[in-house]
Amino acid sequence: TDPKVKVNVGQISVPSGGLMFTLQLYSQLSGDNIKKGRNISGTGTIDDQGKVGEIGGIDKKIIAAKEAGSTVFFVPYVKSTKANLKLDGGQTNWQAALKAQKEYAPKMKLVPIRNFQDALNYLKYGKVIKTK
């Protein structure tokens, strides 16, 4: 591509890194320093429309993010359905994340993300601006 994009997928082998991978690609292609020196982590699948989907084991990802020094964590935020309630013991990702944060990372800020634009708005403006 022009501009050049460097991609090191390393150990990323599951779709739960989709949101963060997409943000990294956006930053490289746009030239925008959206991270602004912040240690931000997150999770979630992403589809071709930019919609973020839920994943399993979010509690473990929050613990790993805390250990890596992250102060902000992007959490998939979707309406509860029978299907997504099977991922984390009968809870949505948001519900499971709140519980894990309280127990393991009380100082970490959780940010509810429904789509790519929500994450980008937070990175650019410090808040999620309601998007479609």
Side-chain angles (χ1 to χ4, degrees):
T1 62
D2 186 21
K4 295 277 186 208
V5 175
K6 292 182 181 181
V7 177
N8 179 2
V9 294
Q11 296 180 346
I12 299 172
S13 62
V14 294
S16 64
L19 171 64
M20 301 309 287
F21 191 75
T22 302
L23 287 167
Q24 176 61 29
L25 288 174
Y26 172 86
S27 181
Q28 288 186 43
L29 289 170
S30 69
D32 289 349
N33 177 15
I34 57 176
K35 191 174 171 186
K36 298 177 185 171
R38 298 171 287 189
N39 189 340
I40 296 173
S41 294
T43 191
T45 63
I46 195 160
D47 69 14
D48 61 351
Q49 301 298 307
K51 182 179 172 187
V52 173
E54 294 202 311
I55 51 82
I58 197 161
D59 55 336
K60 293 159 191 66
K61 292 173 183 172
I62 287 175
I63 293 168
K66 179 186 180 248
E67 290 175 0
S70 293
T71 56
V72 174
F73 193 92
F74 291 154
V75 180
Y77 189 82
V78 301
K79 289 184 179 181
S80 79
T81 64
K82 287 182 183 179
N84 70 0
L85 291 177
K86 292 179 182 179
L87 289 174
D88 277 310
Q91 302 176 79
T92 64
N93 276 180
W94 183 251
Q95 292 165 333
L98 288 172
K99 183 178 177 184
Q101 176 214 28
K102 184 177 182 181
E103 186 172 346
Y104 303 110
K107 294 182 181 177
M108 183 180 291
K109 178 176 178 60
L110 300 182
V111 180
I113 302 295
R114 293 169 291 128
N115 54 51
F116 173 78
Q117 192 63 51
D118 284 349
L120 193 58
N121 286 343
Y122 183 84
L123 291 169
K124 286 186 172 189
Y125 309 113
K127 60 183 175 181
V128 174
I129 300 166
K130 189 169 183 170
T131 58
K132 294 180 183 179

